[in-house]
Amino acid sequence: MTPVSDIKVSDIKSVGVVGGSLSGLFQAVALAELGLDVTVWERSAGRPDDRGAGIVLQPGVAWFLNTFCGVDPDRISVPVTHRQYFSRDGSSHLTLMGQRMISWGAIYASLRDRLDSARYHEGQPVAALAPHPGGVDVHVGDAVHPVDLAIIADGSSSRHRELVAPDGAPRYAGYVAYRGVIDETELPEEMSAVFRDRFSFYDGDRTQFLCYFIPGDFGEMAPGSRRMNWVWYVRADAAGLDRITTDRDGTARGLSVPPGLIAPRVHAELLARARTLLPEPLRRLVEHTRAPFVQAILDGRVSRMRKDRMLLAGDAAFVVRPHTAAGAEKAAVDAITLFGALGQLPSLDAALEAWEENRLAEGTALYRHGVGLGQRLGLDGPAPTTAASVEPTP
């Protein structure tokens, strides 16, 4: 990478980032390294809820953490040596494949620690973006903040995407991901041993389950102090989605329900489905999970990522299915390529044009790859009656 002191950025001094989750933080950290005046506005107060989610550590994220944050990714990720594939009867076979697993929270903490806290404004939603020939006015509360470049990085439910890509709203893909996180101390030793050093999978009839260990809540890495992270993809039609995402208080939450709020009936159905459909080791994981949570799987693609001096980044642009293991990676590379383009090309317009061409191509390819993986697993489309109506046993 070109030393920061040798990089010259023309036509731009200030950047406003809408959204302070991973995508916005990747952008803010990278662009601050260019010497730009970067400000982040995050609508939520406090640390965004990661719900303990695990992520496969991909090369772009690892490189970013090491290069921009001075963090050795090996110190905050759990290694696996094999992939483990279960059969319905509980037997399994292994293939050699080394990877590293990290938590969403570990990435977030590394980025926040690197970014000057004065640049990050939480609990301050951006009300509007108003482009003009020299940049963009960012409206936050009663204040107006002029910036040379605005990066819209407020996630799959972006409130500002339509300013750049009116046709880019994500759609429901026809299935949900149930998720759970379990402290390793809560697992019997014989259960923990089944999954240790392994990335485990079960591909059933129009369903998929996967699990692996991630760092503990405070980044603990030693065996016994980590957390087990599991994901189970289950088909659900529109009516099923409405029922699954109506919480224990009867509130319709739309696309996700956080830990502790899944309705008792939905939780009971999940346990019944696990007893009916999953291999015994995976069933036991579901049963050991105190507070599972759920989110709808979405597809989102855009035909453009730039308009005037506004850019779309991360899930505000392409929402790719989690089978690709590329959500955080895509966001990191969005930032890496913008950093490179701004530092290497002679003008802002040339840099943004090159960046958009690169990111549109990769985003489109990832989108198609994710859809293809979902189709091969039989997950697309309405859920069959037999899968949607599994009732708890007495």
Side-chain angles (χ1 to χ4, degrees):
M1 185 177 74
T2 304
V4 172
S5 60
D6 295 340
I7 292 176
K8 305 299 181 184
V9 180
S10 59
D11 306 328
I12 180 173
K13 294 181 179 179
S14 60
V15 179
V17 180
V18 183
S21 192
L22 292 192
S23 178
L25 285 172
F26 280 127
Q27 294 287 348
V29 169
L31 297 182
E33 288 292 331
L34 284 174
L36 298 174
D37 181 11
V38 180
T39 304
V40 179
W41 291 279
E42 165 56 37
R43 64 174 176 256
S44 301
R47 168 175 158 163
D49 181 13
D50 70 338
R51 303 175 185 177
I55 298 173
V56 177
L57 179 61
Q58 300 286 16
V61 173
W63 186 89
F64 193 105
L65 293 177
N66 185 59
T67 304
F68 289 108
C69 302
V71 172
D72 180 355
D74 288 353
R75 292 185 175 272
I76 57 171
S77 60
V78 175
V80 299
T81 56
H82 291 78
R83 288 197 169 191
Q84 177 171 232
Y85 298 93
F86 281 96
S87 299
R88 179 64 186 86
D89 63 5
S91 62
S92 65
H93 69 275
L94 301 176
T95 61
L96 185 65
M97 185 172 182
Q99 289 181 278
R100 301 195 73 92
M101 308 304 189
I102 195 168
S103 67
W104 186 100
I107 300 173
Y108 177 87
S110 298
L111 295 169
R112 280 298 305 268
D113 287 348
R114 181 60 179 174
L115 187 68
D116 184 345
S117 60
R119 298 181 181 273
Y120 192 97
H121 303 284
E122 61 186 36
Q124 297 192 27
V126 172
L129 297 172
H132 54 79
V136 181
D137 287 338
V138 182
H139 294 253
V140 182
D142 295 329
V144 178
H145 305 272
V147 296
D148 297 325
L149 180 68
I151 299 176
I152 300 169
D154 54 347
S156 60
S157 59
S158 173
R159 302 177 183 183
H160 306 282
R161 176 193 292 113
E162 64 181 11
L163 293 172
V164 176
D167 59 346
R171 66 172 184 84
Y172 177 50
Y175 57 107
V176 300
Y178 286 98
R179 297 178 180 268
V181 177
I182 314 167
D183 288 342
E184 194 172 2
T185 54
E186 297 181 7
L187 294 176
E189 171 56 28
E190 68 273 14
M191 277 186 66
S192 184
V194 169
F195 303 106
R196 197 164 290 156
D197 302 321
R198 299 169 185 178
F199 187 0
S200 299
F201 293 83
Y202 171 63
D203 293 343
D205 180 15
R206 292 171 294 192
T207 193
Q208 185 185 56
F209 190 105
L210 56 92
C211 62
Y212 48 86
F213 280 111
I214 59 175
D217 192 39
F218 298 99
E220 299 93 340
M221 298 289 295
S225 61
R226 303 168 301 182
R227 294 179 295 177
M228 166 58 66
N229 172 84
W230 62 261
V231 184
W232 188 8
Y233 299 108
V234 175
R235 291 180 11 138
D237 61 16
L241 176 65
D242 289 343
R243 180 174 54 81
I244 290 168
T245 56
T246 297
D247 70 18
R248 65 185 309 120
D249 299 320
T251 301
R253 289 181 167 264
L255 295 175
S256 66
V257 181
L261 290 180
I262 284 183
R265 178 183 176 186
V266 174
H267 193 182
E269 290 174 351
L270 176 67
L271 294 172
R273 185 180 285 111
R275 288 192 292 269
T276 303
L277 301 177
L278 290 180
E280 190 268 346
L282 306 181
R283 170 186 61 79
R284 294 181 67 189
L285 287 181
V286 177
E287 292 173 342
H288 271 78
T289 304
R290 297 181 182 181
F293 54 103
V294 66
Q295 66 186 92
I297 301 303
L298 306 177
D299 290 319
R301 64 184 301 184
V302 294
S303 57
R304 60 186 301 172
M305 295 176 67
R306 173 198 176 198
K307 183 178 181 182
D308 301 319
R309 290 194 175 186
M310 298 181 296
L311 306 182
L312 297 177
D315 288 350
F318 288 91
V319 182
V320 298
R321 300 195 192 183
H323 316 296
T324 63
E329 176 77 354
K330 173 171 58 68
V333 180
D334 280 350
I336 292 167
T337 52
L338 184 59
F339 175 92
L342 290 174
Q344 295 168 12
L345 295 176
S347 71
L348 180 61
D349 283 342
L352 298 184
E353 181 179 353
W355 176 84
E356 182 186 36
E357 181 179 2
N358 175 284
R359 303 318 297 150
L360 278 175
E362 182 163 333
T364 301
L366 276 174
Y367 170 90
R368 291 173 176 167
H369 179 53
V371 171
L373 290 174
Q375 290 173 343
R376 285 197 287 277
L377 289 166
L379 289 166
D380 280 29
T385 302
T386 54
S389 61
V390 176
E391 296 294 339
T393 56

